[in-house]
Amino acid sequence: MSLLAFLAETAAHGGEAVKAPFPAFDPTWFASQLFWLAVFFLGMYFALSRSILPKLEGTLAQRANSISADLDEAARLNNQSVEAQKALELRLAQARARARETSDTAKAAAETELAHVTGRVDAEMALKLERAETRISKLREDAMKNVEQISLDAAEAMIARLGVKASRADVKKAVSSVLETRG
Amino acid sequence: MNLPLPVFLPSIATDPIHQFKIFPLIDWSAGGYNLAFTNSSFWMLVSTVLVLGFLGMAASRASLIPNRIQSLGEMSYTFISDMVRSTAGEEGLKFFPFVFTLFFFILGANIVGMFPYAFTTTSHIAVTGALAVVVILIVVGYGIYKNGLGFFGLFAPHGVPLPVMFFLVPIEIISFLARPITLGMRLFANMLAGHIMLKLLAIFVVMLAGAGLTAVAWVPYVLLIPITALEFLVAFLQAYVFALLTCVYLKDAIHPHH
């Protein structure tokens, strides 16, 4: 289309437009427009307000309910778990106390037993030691007596060999004094 | 142009006003009125069916975990109900279905009108004016039903000295009377102007290209893209503004002494 042809056509339309009113203000169709507006607007209004909006509202309310119910349930379970933990801690503390008590009792019993046994063994040992000592001292005494006799015999024999006369009592005295000084 | 063109078939029009012309598809008159089913009625039916189809699909799947369309439907619900609650208060929720219908009726008509060869029903003052008048009638009706003559306290704000009242009351009355006019006019003018602008730019492209000025024809052609996007925004915004102002006016009906 050339520019000239276009201008000619718009001019023709312009001429038409002078006769016919501007379409938006043309009263020819006002009644039809209002009638069909009422039909479709009311149709949409009733479809929305009777069916669609209540459904959407129901879904939204249901979701809000289920979310709050879930949150309540979560809070309830959380409380439950906190309580369970508290109970567990309490039972742990009780068990620990009982264990300590048991171990203390056992320790005390063991100590008593140990002390008892130690005492008995000590007493037995002391008795045995005493007996042994008695026997040792007796043996020693016997041995010492024998030593004195042997010394006396030896001294007498040496004196006899030397040809010195001495009473048996003097020899005995001298020997025992020497033995005493030497221990 | 005198042929009964099917509404959905392209009509070659180099006239930016042609797109607003109404022609009958099914002639019908009742009670002396011409109630023909026109191209305007047809596209109103299309937008109504699309809106109800979308929202009906969104509402039919009442799943606890929504899919996309259900999520969109629920977003629409909470968007409008939050707007009504925050603007008109809890009591305003009585009018929630009405405001919701208004918003989606206008949005549907505006968006459908954005498609080529479709008719923008909201670009006619008869439609937008009627919607505005319905809003104001509901506001006045409910205001008087709820507050009796106290509703007219709307025109006399509290704590204003008497001499000032003589000036203030007429101003308030005029501003109230202007409401249906501005409410209807705003939507109508926005739709009309937007579509004329789009059409003019499109005509420029054809005209310049037809005159052999292809290089220059690119300018309006590229310009059309952001303006088309802007018109989609306007389509949404005007529906929102209409619904929001309805809520503001409803608030006056519920609490006139503010």
Side-chain angles (χ1 to χ4, degrees), chain A residues 56-77:
Chain A
L56 279 173
E57 190 184 9
T59 314
L60 286 170
Q62 199 190 332
R63 179 168 316 124
N65 281 344
S66 103
I67 286 171
S68 71
D70 286 357
L71 284 178
D72 287 352
E73 177 71 5
R76 194 182 65 75
L77 290 175

Side-chain angles (χ1 to χ4, degrees), chain B residues 5-245:
Chain B
L5 286 169
V7 273
F8 33 77
L9 281 185
S11 55
I12 299 157
T14 46
D15 173 8
I17 304 303
H18 179 266
Q19 57 178 322
F20 303 111
K21 275 195 180 134
I22 294 180
F23 49 87
L25 298 174
I26 303 163
D27 280 316
W28 181 47
S29 61
Y33 291 104
N34 177 9
L35 303 180
F37 189 83
T38 62
N39 56 339
S40 168
S41 322
F42 173 78
W43 288 106
M44 205 177 266
L45 172 68
V46 168
S47 77
T48 305
V49 166
L50 287 178
V51 165
L52 287 181
F54 157 64
L55 290 170
M57 261 160 75
S60 67
R61 251 187 60 102
S63 162
L64 214 55
I65 297 149
N67 62 2
R68 282 181 203 170
I69 192 159
Q70 190 191 342
S71 196
L72 269 173
E74 285 170 5
M75 268 163 63
S76 312
Y77 186 98
T78 46
F79 173 65
I80 303 294
S81 73
D82 285 352
M83 181 181 79
V84 174
R85 193 179 292 113
S86 64
T87 315
E90 284 296 323
E91 208 183 326
L93 284 177
K94 264 184 215 170
F95 296 100
F96 167 66
F98 175 65
V99 176
F100 192 93
T101 311
L102 262 183
F103 177 76
F104 270 94
F105 190 86
I106 295 168
L107 181 68
N110 291 355
I111 295 289
V112 163
M114 281 307 294
F115 288 90
Y117 308 117
F119 184 88
T120 317
T121 52
T122 41
S123 66
H124 277 248
I125 189 75
V127 173
T128 63
L131 289 174
V133 166
V134 167
V135 167
I136 297 301
L137 284 181
I138 285 175
V139 166
V140 174
Y142 185 75
I144 292 172
Y145 162 75
K146 177 85 198 312
N147 305 289
L149 291 177
F151 174 68
F152 295 102
L154 184 65
F155 303 125
H158 278 299
V160 177
L162 195 64
V164 181
M165 279 287 193
F166 284 108
F167 298 100
L168 200 60
V169 171
I171 291 171
E172 289 282 342
I173 290 173
I174 290 167
S175 88
F176 188 85
L177 291 177
R179 278 177 181 182
I181 300 163
T182 55
L183 190 61
M185 202 60 106
R186 184 182 297 109
L187 175 58
F188 155 70
N190 266 285
M191 287 302 114
L192 187 81
H195 283 271
I196 289 177
M197 185 162 62
L198 287 177
K199 193 73 177 189
L200 276 177
L201 280 169
I203 289 170
F204 271 148
V205 176
V206 175
M207 198 176 92
L208 290 168
L213 301 166
T214 321
V216 188
W218 278 99
V219 177
Y221 184 75
V222 170
L223 210 58
L224 263 174
I225 298 164
I227 290 180
T228 306
L230 180 75
E231 283 308 312
F232 271 104
L233 181 71
V234 168
F236 170 80
L237 216 59
Q238 286 306 317
Y240 177 68
V241 165
F242 201 101
L244 185 69
L245 284 174

Side-chain angles (χ1 to χ4, degrees), chain A residues 40-90:
Chain A
F40 293 127
F41 190 84
L42 286 177
M44 195 190 268
Y45 177 78
F46 284 113
L48 286 174
S49 65
R50 293 287 152 88
S51 161
I52 291 170
L53 291 178
K55 269 190 209 162
L56 279 173
E57 190 184 9
T59 314
L60 286 170
Q62 199 190 332
R63 179 168 316 124
N65 281 344
S66 103
I67 286 171
S68 71
D70 286 357
L71 284 178
D72 287 352
E73 177 71 5
R76 194 182 65 75
L77 290 175
N78 188 39
N79 283 346
Q80 224 173 41
S81 81
V82 166
E83 268 165 28
Q85 196 177 349
K86 273 186 194 157
L88 175 70
E89 275 166 12
L90 190 70

